[in-house]
Amino acid sequence: MGIKVDRVNDILSSEKFKDLVKKRLVVSMTLTAIILIVYFGFILTIAFYKDFLSIKIGDYITLGLPIGIGIILFAWILTGIYTRWANQKYDKSVRELRNEILEK
Amino acid sequence: MDTVQSTLGQVNIASVIIFFAFVAITLAITYWAAKKTKTTSEFYAADRSISGFQNGLALSGDYMSAASFLGIAGMVSLKGYDGLIYSIGFLVGWPLVMFLIAEPLRNLGKFTFADVVAYRLKQKPVRIASSIGSLMTIVFYLIAQMVGAGSLVNILFGFPYEYAVIIVGIVMIAYVLFGGMLATTWVQIIKAVLLLSGATFLVIMTLAQFGMNPITLFEQAAIKYGDAVLSPGGFVTNPWDAISLGIALILGTAGLPHILMRFFTVPDAKQARKSVFVATGFIGYFYILTFFIGFGAMVLVGQDTVSSFDKGGNMAALLLAEFVGGQFFLGFIAAVAFATILAVVAGLTLSGASTLSHDLYVNVIKKGKTDEVGEVKVARIATLIIGALAISLGLIFKGQNVAFMVGLAFAIAASANFPSLLLSIIWKKFTTKGAVASIITGSTLAVILIILSPTVWVDIFHNPEAIFGLKNPAIISMTASFAIGIIVSLLTTENDAADKFEDEKLRTYLGIGAE
């Protein structure tokens, strides 16, 4: 497979490619912001509102337990959301653009 | 329950047998892998033949160190909830690896992350600077692992420290030298499966004592040691300290050379992505298990007994294993802990060797002009050099407090490797001088500030007061590294690099031209 050199600049300046680049940036930056807010929010809660995490939700169990374990699960779910988006949406556009630029 | 008896410190036959079985099996795999390890792509990247799922397991094998297994379980057993806060920091870096690094890294790089940083920039200065960041991260991480291996075996089997360091060193050199990335990957996969299944079994056996109800376990802990064990305690006393450590842990994960290198073993960006999903799942699951293990040890073994064997609590998981499963299970968990160190040091050594051979020898000294056979030969010599260095450092640092070195390795990774890697991927105007300045600033500041911090200045040098107040320097060194990288890039122009950025997009986003 070779590259159709004359098509490279067309593709790079095409709306479709720019759209792909922009979408990936938006998705990855949004997810990055979410995980950073959740994590540093958790750390700041511990620093300034420790009592919140000590609230009892059972005889002994504190709110901190489900929140802590929840953050671990949430981090994993976010990677799953990204993977699903990329597999279903992103890869499709990538395939289409690749087909336009690669010689069979 | 302070009268719990333990056979820790005596030779455990089961443990020795299981450990040597692990070594025998992994060496057999190395023999098989050696036949498939002739070209550079095979040596550094297992010929890109590893699947996303396999790589996810191998990544977790590379990342779940003995420190995170024994150390975090111990911390939980003595301090309760605070141990969980630490684990969360170690996990949260993974989504960032996924969203920012994994796919562009796979598409732009060849064998090392410096390939990506140097992609548009001038090879020689950038490779030299990146190698400094890489090698510092690797060496500090290696020292912590080797010293950990020596002490662990000393406590577990009663073997002298020096023997343990030499055994670990020689076996690890054998994996990398003959089997390259393919053997290293399989060692990590096997280790991950053993560690995950061992820890799962340990948790099941522990929960069986509490009617399979984790809530009962936590309640018993609170009844025995007070409500405080289920709430955040003294871990965060200074919020700046906590934020700085958090930055080091999460951005450091995205800048560890041996982790980044694993993304070159998969065939394409899609599999790179899948690797992170799988790795995050297994590592998260593992940290949840260590939380239960820590509480199990707290309740069943007792805090006094745990701290009587090791005041940091490092023996908690092993004591719990013996309590719920007897000597044989103790032997199994001990052998797994030791195998864990082997897999981690093999990954580190391969990564260090690839920096020496691929970045420094081939791209700086030979200016990219070498043949396949020559480069593989140099990579093997580099493996021997890094392996010998690891053994020597393990022996030199015997008995020293090296716990801070993992924190330092993460701080350098977050301050020297991560900023230059991210800027080179996302910022068109990034220049060679900007990259070099960023890396030098980040690594130098990380090292100087940690020496002046309470971790070294007070705990190791025994000065009454630290010159730099934070335990981890990342908040300063990472910010400075980004700031200097951006300022210097704006003050210099490199038209060549900016022009290539547009063409590079085909490769970053579409994978066209990716190796």
Side-chain angles (χ1 to χ4, degrees):
Chain A
M1 281 198 306
I3 296 175
K4 292 179 193 164
V5 181
D6 55 318
R7 295 280 293 129
V8 168
N9 284 327
D10 292 351
I11 296 285
L12 281 174
S13 52
S14 71
E15 283 308 309
K16 204 171 169 186
F17 184 71
K18 283 184 179 161
D19 195 47
L20 177 91
V21 171
K22 199 177 145 199
K23 268 198 187 129
R24 188 174 127 71
L25 196 69
V26 169
V27 171
S28 60
M29 286 302 159
T30 310
L31 292 172
T32 300
I34 293 173
I35 193 73
L36 290 179
I37 290 167
V38 167
Y39 176 66
F40 286 105
F42 176 66
I43 295 293
L44 291 174
T45 309
I46 294 168
F48 296 107
Y49 304 101
K50 207 178 276 184
D51 293 346
F52 174 74
L53 294 168
S54 311
I55 293 172
K56 297 249 173 65
I57 51 169
D59 290 341
Y60 294 96
I61 305 301
T62 58
L63 197 56
L65 287 181
I67 289 180
I69 291 175
I71 292 175
I72 292 181
L73 294 174
F74 180 72
W76 182 55
I77 290 167
L78 274 192
T79 64
I81 291 173
Y82 178 84
T83 308
R84 202 179 151 87
W85 168 78
N87 285 346
Q88 291 183 348
K89 303 265 172 65
Y90 183 75
D91 277 359
K92 201 170 142 237
S93 312
V94 168
R95 257 195 310 278
E96 286 168 11
L97 283 161
R98 277 179 70 108
N99 286 340
E100 285 181 36
I101 211 169
L102 292 174
E103 287 165 357
K104 292 279 145 53
Chain B
M1 235 182 267
D2 295 343
T3 50
V4 170
Q5 295 294 313
S6 172
T7 57
L8 265 180
Q10 300 161 21
V11 178
N12 180 316
I13 303 297
S15 186
V16 173
I17 293 171
I18 295 166
F19 178 70
F20 281 101
F22 173 83
V23 171
I25 291 166
T26 48
L27 286 177
I29 288 173
T30 305
Y31 178 75
W32 161 78
K35 292 180 199 159
K36 299 182 170 207
T37 305
K38 300 205 164 57
T39 64
T40 47
S41 170
E42 286 162 351
F43 186 83
Y44 297 124
D47 209 22
R48 327 242 185 249
S49 64
I50 308 295
S51 75
F53 184 81
Q54 290 167 342
N55 194 39
L57 263 180
L59 279 168
S60 33
D62 225 346
Y63 198 66
M64 298 181 295
S65 61
S68 57
F69 178 48
L70 302 177
I72 291 179
M75 202 192 277
V76 173
S77 76
L78 297 180
K79 305 210 158 111
Y81 191 80
D82 281 359
L84 182 65
I85 305 174
Y86 210 71
S87 313
I88 291 172
F90 273 112
L91 185 78
V92 167
W94 284 92
L96 289 193
V97 172
M98 170 84 105
F99 309 146
L100 301 175
I101 304 277
E103 296 165 89
L105 181 78
R106 172 64 193 84
N107 280 342
L108 290 174
K110 196 175 175 192
F111 301 135
T112 63
F113 84 91
D115 289 336
V116 180
V117 185
Y119 189 81
R120 288 179 291 137
L121 308 174
K122 297 199 180 69
Q123 294 289 323
K124 199 171 164 181
V126 174
R127 294 266 182 193
I128 294 174
S130 292
S131 302
I132 294 171
S134 277
L135 289 173
M136 281 169 75
T137 314
I138 290 164
V139 166
F140 287 121
Y141 212 137
L142 262 179
I143 294 173
Q145 295 294 326
M146 292 305 278
V147 173
S151 324
L152 182 66
V153 175
N154 187 251
I155 299 170
L156 292 181
F157 307 137
F159 271 15
Y161 176 96
E162 286 79 4
Y163 287 14
V165 168
I166 293 168
I167 293 173
V168 167
I170 289 174
V171 174
M172 158 274 265
I173 290 172
Y175 294 150
V176 181
L177 187 65
F178 301 112
M181 182 52 102
L182 189 59
T184 305
T185 303
W186 281 101
V187 170
Q188 286 161 346
I189 292 176
I190 294 171
K191 163 263 172 103
V193 170
L194 283 175
L195 186 56
L196 288 164
S197 44
T200 304
F201 190 63
L202 182 53
V203 168
I204 293 173
M205 302 272 279
T206 302
L207 288 179
Q209 311 259 345
F210 299 92
M212 293 318 278
N213 184 353
I215 292 176
T216 316
L217 166 65
F218 294 128
E219 283 176 351
Q220 288 299 319
I223 290 167
K224 205 170 163 188
Y225 293 99
D227 287 358
V229 296
L230 297 179
S231 299
F235 182 75
V236 179
T237 39
N238 173 353
W240 292 110
D241 239 342
I243 291 172
S244 196
L245 177 67
I247 290 173
L249 294 182
I250 64 179
L251 300 185
T253 301
L256 291 174
H258 63 297
I259 295 293
L260 297 174
M261 190 185 187
R262 292 224 52 89
F263 289 103
F264 304 120
T265 65
V266 292
D268 54 30
K270 183 179 175 143
Q271 297 300 318
R273 189 192 295 153
K274 189 175 175 187
S275 314
V276 187
F277 175 65
V278 172
T280 313
F282 281 126
I283 295 168
Y285 171 68
F286 173 72
Y287 283 138
I288 293 173
L289 293 179
T290 54
F291 190 58
F292 288 145
I293 291 169
F295 271 94
M298 184 195 291
V299 176
L300 296 174
V301 181
Q303 289 187 336
D304 291 344
T305 311
V306 169
S307 50
S308 73
F309 278 90
D310 176 282
K311 65 179 188 315
N314 286 315
M315 295 300 125
L318 297 157
L319 290 165
L320 179 67
E322 189 175 23
F323 184 90
V324 297
Q327 265 200 58
F328 180 80
F329 193 48
L330 165 70
F332 177 77
I333 293 290
V336 169
F338 199 31
T340 284
I341 296 182
L342 261 181
V344 174
V345 291
L348 286 164
T349 298
L350 177 55
S351 172
S354 67
T355 303
L356 281 185
S357 58
H358 181 66
D359 293 330
L360 288 179
Y361 180 78
V362 174
N363 280 298
V364 173
I365 297 174
K366 289 283 177 181
K367 299 190 172 57
K369 294 181 196 89
T370 41
D371 56 290
E372 280 284 318
V373 182
E375 184 168 352
V376 174
K377 198 172 156 193
V378 173
R380 292 202 151 109
I381 295 170
T383 304
L384 286 173
I385 294 172
I386 300 277
L389 184 73
I391 294 175
S392 327
L393 291 172
L395 298 176
I396 290 170
F397 281 89
K398 178 187 176 181
Q400 300 292 315
N401 179 354
V402 294
F404 75 94
M405 286 194 183
V406 173
L408 177 58
F410 272 80
I412 297 173
S415 319
N417 308 343
F418 178 75
S420 59
L421 180 59
L422 186 70
L423 288 173
S424 74
I425 291 172
I426 63 169
W427 193 37
K428 188 174 177 174
K429 291 182 177 158
F430 197 42
T431 66
T432 301
K433 291 196 174 92
V436 172
S438 159
I439 294 167
I440 302 294
T441 306
S443 48
T444 320
L445 265 184
V447 173
I448 293 175
L449 291 180
I450 210 154
I451 292 173
L452 302 178
S453 76
T455 336
V456 176
W457 200 253
V458 178
D459 295 355
I460 297 191
F461 294 155
H462 303 292
N463 289 303
E465 214 166 316
I467 297 171
F468 174 72
L470 301 178
K471 287 184 199 132
N472 195 295
I475 191 168
I476 305 284
S477 51
M478 181 277 294
T479 313
S481 171
F482 267 112
I484 297 285
I486 291 169
I487 292 168
V488 174
S489 294
L490 289 174
L491 293 175
T492 49
T493 41
E494 198 170 333
N495 293 330
D496 220 28
D499 290 347
K500 276 192 202 156
F501 188 72
E502 289 304 316
D503 294 340
E504 181 190 282
K505 278 187 181 166
L506 278 187
R507 193 159 158 172
T508 313
Y509 292 94
L510 304 182
I512 291 173
E515 288 174 67

